[in-house]
Amino acid sequence: MSAQTGIEGSFDLQTYRAEALEHVSAREGIPIGELTIINEAFATFPLTGRTLWGAKMLDEKSSAVYGVYLDEQGRVVEIDAAKEAEAAEKSKRYGKLDPELAERVSTMRSDEKVVVWIWLTEPSMDRSRFQGNLSEEQHQELLSLQRAAYAAHEAPVIDFLKTQDSTVVYASQYAPVVFAEVSRETIQDLSKRSDVVSLDITRSYEPALSSAAPTVKANVVWGRGKTGTGIKVAIVEAPLGSGSRIEFSNPYLPDGSSYRPDLPVSSHATAVAGIVASSHSTYKGISYGVPALLSANAETGNDTDIVAAMEWAITQGAKVLSCSYEKYTSGVIEDLAQYHDHVVWSNHLTVVVAAGNPPIEGAEAGVVLSPGLAYNVITVGAFDDMDSSAWPGDVMWAGSLEQSGYIDPISQHDDREKPEVVAVGTRITSTTDMSPWIGSVPSGTSFAVPAVSGEAALLMHRQSQLTSWPEAVKAAIMAGAVHNIEGASRLSDRDGAGGIDCSIADDTIANNRWWANTVTYGDFPKTYVLSGIPAGKKVRVVAAWDSHPPDLHPPYGTINDPLQSDFDLLIYDPNGEQVEVSSSYDNNYEIGQFTAEMSGNYQARVVKYRFEGASERLALAYSISDP
């Protein structure tokens, strides 16, 4: 669900559409009759107070997509100029400081200190040989390269902080970030350094509060011999009360190790672990064959401790990071969300996070919580299966005071859609932290996240190449999420692409209905053959790529982490007739769905609307299911 309101009234849309078509026709030399507007949106710039109307147009003959923006007076303008003006205004108001930190600094005493994120420039390192399918040895080599590069790059800032009587709380091993407790004067000095890009205040997070496996069809995949064998899953937890550690004494859980074995156990962490890996004969975890679990138990809910716990799990070889914690940030991506994006983009790992459990009433009612706002993660909402594996009657989860988050992140054109998928989040039986070791657990998106994390492990067991292609994991899971809980079947506000179906996603991978490649500007349009589609079947196609968080800190104005590429998805039937278009502005995925009217080979074509980086990691997956 988007939050854009009231803008349309100040624009004569019929006139704007006609002007846009005429302009693109003249600019590109294409007859107006061959151009079709496939999407339109308003781009907002809150600091400069500007609003632009934009349209995407498809050239029916070439399949190229063109765009244009008009301002409030109906004049054609360049959006890059508006972005630069917004960035300049942000710099003028706040410098390198996040607005919240700038406000805090303005009231700090000279002897007062605060813990901050210090984002640095991205160090130079040769990642070219780590872009494809990585063996475990190659992945460990990548991690070693990153640890050395970031340590060397962070050293001058750490040395400077020591001279300022500042305390270094944590230096990231896998991102250009240092956490430090600093004074007002040190913040001002840091902002003058050329190797410091942005500074922000740290925040605190809290957990996002019969068997769900048959509902999501995990048992079907088990019957095919896939249970998650060989895949390490990390349960990343903030404390609930005093503890955040998995109780590995539970006889239904596999062996595991903990980041902080000295900290108390947690019923929340233990229940989440069971949804992934319980071996109980009745209440099995989604991927009960995983060899071990990693309890990435943060000491506190502060983002410094969460980052440290995640990096321990990365070093231990986790391929899936299951993250069940939340923080309200008014729909704006903050530093921890960008850090999660960095893990996916830089380390090629699958990260699954909660949409959060915002209140039903109040200022933050229904808002997707952070880090669920991040681009590259799989954000998961929760639905209620009424304790039955049959799908009819399932509804989105809502408690007496909380609900599954669904109101979307703030974005330039206000058309991002979160969550990506939903899973069962209530009426669940899982492992507990004391005898008899199995029992009912609370409700919330916390308990939907591990179902999707387990599904990711099943897919990686099916195809080991997916351990280094989180983009393909996301595409396959979204393509397989055909259980429509509410709204439009393809994509809707509250359930995203829908409820997960592990068996459909497994079909996608098992039948080679997926691709993953590193692509460059000259690779487009990129065509994929969807082979052997039977008439009458529902086909869903998902393309997914990444934001590049290392490349731009901080982002334009208050719009976070802008994507370097905008791809659109076109689908054609065996006769070359177009059957589906997906052309959002601000998502890093596109999703198309249709019912095949004829049997044969269809084509999915990914076209570039915008491509500003050197390369992209692009994945596409499609599913075939009953309507």
Side-chain angles (χ1 to χ4, degrees):
M1 176 178 176
S2 296
Q4 199 170 76
T5 58
I7 297 175
E8 293 88 344
S10 59
F11 288 79
D12 181 352
L13 295 183
Q14 186 172 352
T15 300
Y16 273 55
R17 290 167 187 146
E19 173 62 26
L21 286 166
E22 288 180 9
H23 177 79
V24 172
S25 173
R27 186 185 70 194
E28 305 296 337
I30 302 170
I32 287 181
E34 295 176 8
L35 292 171
T36 302
I37 294 178
I38 57 174
N39 195 12
E40 57 186 281
F42 293 97
T44 57
F45 301 88
L47 297 182
T48 53
R50 297 199 67 188
T51 299
L52 307 181
W53 175 86
K56 288 185 177 183
M57 296 170 213
L58 174 66
D59 175 2
E60 302 285 355
K61 286 190 174 181
S62 69
S63 296
V65 176
Y66 301 101
V68 65
Y69 287 89
L70 278 67
D71 66 11
E72 297 90 334
Q73 288 74 44
R75 298 171 299 197
V76 174
V77 295
E78 294 295 328
I79 192 170
D80 285 347
K83 289 179 178 180
E84 290 168 4
E86 186 80 357
E89 181 63 24
K90 181 180 186 296
S91 179
K92 177 182 176 182
R93 294 190 191 188
Y94 309 113
K96 295 181 180 180
L97 277 60
D98 177 83
E100 186 176 346
L101 178 59
E103 182 179 357
R104 176 70 180 276
V105 167
S106 69
T107 61
M108 285 177 65
R109 302 185 309 272
S110 60
D111 61 343
E112 189 178 357
K113 292 185 177 181
V114 63
V115 179
V116 298
W117 290 75
I118 307 169
W119 282 97
L120 309 180
T121 54
E122 188 72 18
S124 176
M125 65 179 92
D126 182 8
R127 304 171 188 260
S128 59
R129 63 188 188 279
F130 302 113
Q131 291 303 312
N133 304 322
L134 302 183
S135 66
E136 183 58 30
E137 181 180 359
Q138 289 172 316
H139 193 256
Q140 289 302 318
E141 185 182 351
L142 170 62
L143 297 183
S144 179
L145 170 69
Q146 291 172 329
R147 287 193 294 268
Y150 288 125
H153 195 59
E154 293 161 0
V157 171
I158 292 173
D159 290 342
F160 168 75
L161 291 168
K162 290 177 180 178
T163 68
Q164 302 298 303
D165 193 29
S166 300
T167 301
V168 175
V169 178
Y170 184 75
S172 173
Q173 301 178 75
Y174 301 115
V177 172
V178 175
F179 295 95
E181 187 178 33
V182 295
S183 67
R184 179 182 63 195
E185 288 73 19
T186 301
I187 290 173
Q188 293 168 346
D189 290 340
L190 283 167
S191 68
K192 298 173 184 176
R193 292 181 62 98
S194 60
D195 55 354
V196 172
V197 182
S198 67
L199 298 104
D200 195 5
I201 199 165
T202 58
R203 298 172 176 87
S204 183
Y205 294 73
E206 59 186 29
L209 290 178
S210 200
S211 176
T215 301
V216 301
K217 306 296 180 64
N219 57 321
V220 176
V221 183
W222 304 338
R224 299 169 181 170
K226 303 303 174 185
T227 61
T229 300
I231 308 302
K232 287 186 178 180
V233 178
I235 308 300
V236 187
E237 285 276 314
L240 181 64
S242 61
S244 58
R245 180 168 60 86
I246 297 170
E247 176 54 275
F248 285 115
S249 296
N250 187 306
Y252 301 118
L253 290 177
D255 292 335
S257 56
S258 301
Y259 167 57
R260 289 292 304 273
D262 56 312
L263 297 178
V265 297
S266 161
S267 59
H268 184 276
T270 305
V272 168
I275 296 169
V276 173
S278 167
S279 61
H280 189 277
S281 59
T282 302
Y283 303 107
K284 278 187 168 64
I286 302 298
S287 54
Y288 67 87
V290 296
L293 288 173
L294 299 171
S295 182
N297 56 318
E299 181 177 7
T300 73
N302 293 336
D303 36 21
T304 51
D305 288 328
I306 291 173
V307 169
M310 289 182 70
E311 296 197 343
W312 170 83
I314 293 169
T315 302
Q316 296 300 310
K319 301 304 180 189
V320 182
L321 288 92
S322 185
C323 307
S324 295
Y325 39 82
E326 62 181 30
K327 176 72 175 180
Y328 174 62
T329 60
S330 303
V332 177
I333 295 178
E334 41 57 79
D335 297 87
L336 191 63
Q338 290 192 44
Y339 174 80
H340 284 66
D341 275 345
H342 194 287
V343 168
V344 178
W345 166 249
S346 182
N347 299 103
H348 310 323
L349 298 175
T350 294
V351 179
V352 186
V353 304
N357 310 324
I360 291 176
E361 297 180 353
E364 67 270 35
V367 174
V368 173
L369 304 179
S370 190
L373 306 171
Y375 283 95
N376 300 340
V377 303
I378 303 172
T379 300
V380 184
F383 73 89
D384 185 348
D385 70 351
M386 301 298 177
D387 206 20
S388 168
S389 61
W391 286 359
D394 291 355
V395 297
M396 290 300 296
W397 169 75
S400 59
L401 298 175
E402 298 174 314
Q403 62 188 316
S404 181
Y406 66 95
I407 295 177
D408 300 318
I410 295 172
S411 67
Q412 193 86 71
H413 299 83
D414 202 33
D415 69 348
R416 287 192 69 196
E417 192 66 56
K418 286 280 185 173
E420 277 87 2
V421 295
V422 296
V424 180
T426 189
R427 306 177 198 262
I428 295 172
T429 299
S430 186
T431 46
T432 60
D433 59 349
M434 61 183 68
S435 181
W437 305 112
I438 202 82
S440 297
V441 301
S443 301
T445 55
S446 281
F447 304 106
V449 166
V452 178
S453 300
E455 180 183 18
L458 294 178
L459 297 180
M460 292 175 188
H461 184 188
R462 168 68 69 183
Q463 174 51 264
S464 62
Q465 292 178 2
L466 292 175
T467 59
S468 54
W469 281 104
E471 304 83 3
V473 173
K474 176 189 279 191
I477 287 175
M478 291 182 70
V482 297
H483 177 20
N484 186 41
I485 312 296
E486 60 80 38
S489 174
R490 180 186 71 93
L491 191 68
S492 57
D493 281 346
R494 294 177 184 255
D495 72 345
I500 62 170
D501 185 323
C502 297
S503 68
I504 299 296
D506 182 62
D507 284 340
T508 289
I509 302 303
N511 291 288
N512 294 315
R513 297 173 183 150
W514 69 283
W515 297 264
N517 306 96
T518 298
V519 295
T520 59
Y521 185 91
D523 291 326
F524 295 91
K526 192 166 181 62
T527 300
Y528 305 84
V529 177
L530 316 181
S531 59
I533 305 295
K537 291 291 187 178
K538 180 170 70 177
V539 181
R540 178 181 287 178
V541 186
V542 178
W545 61 101
D546 291 323
S547 75
H548 297 206
D551 296 331
L552 191 59
H553 297 296
Y556 294 121
T558 57
I559 304 301
N560 297 78
D561 210 0
L563 302 174
Q564 290 199 351
S565 294
D566 180 0
F567 300 134
D568 295 320
L569 176 64
L570 313 174
I571 304 173
Y572 298 88
D573 70 14
N575 293 331
E577 296 294 324
Q578 187 183 110
V579 296
E580 179 69 306
V581 176
S582 178
S583 58
S584 68
Y585 281 94
D586 297 336
N587 288 311
N588 61 326
Y589 65 82
E590 296 294 345
I591 178 169
Q593 181 174 296
F594 63 96
T595 299
E597 294 188 358
M598 64 184 74
S599 298
N601 295 339
Y602 287 66
Q603 286 191 355
R605 192 169 300 163
V606 177
V607 298
K608 64 177 185 298
Y609 175 72
R610 181 170 54 82
F611 195 108
E612 298 171 353
S615 65
E616 289 286 357
R617 289 168 57 88
L618 172 66
L620 184 137
Y622 70 99
S623 66
I624 303 173
S625 62
D626 293 328

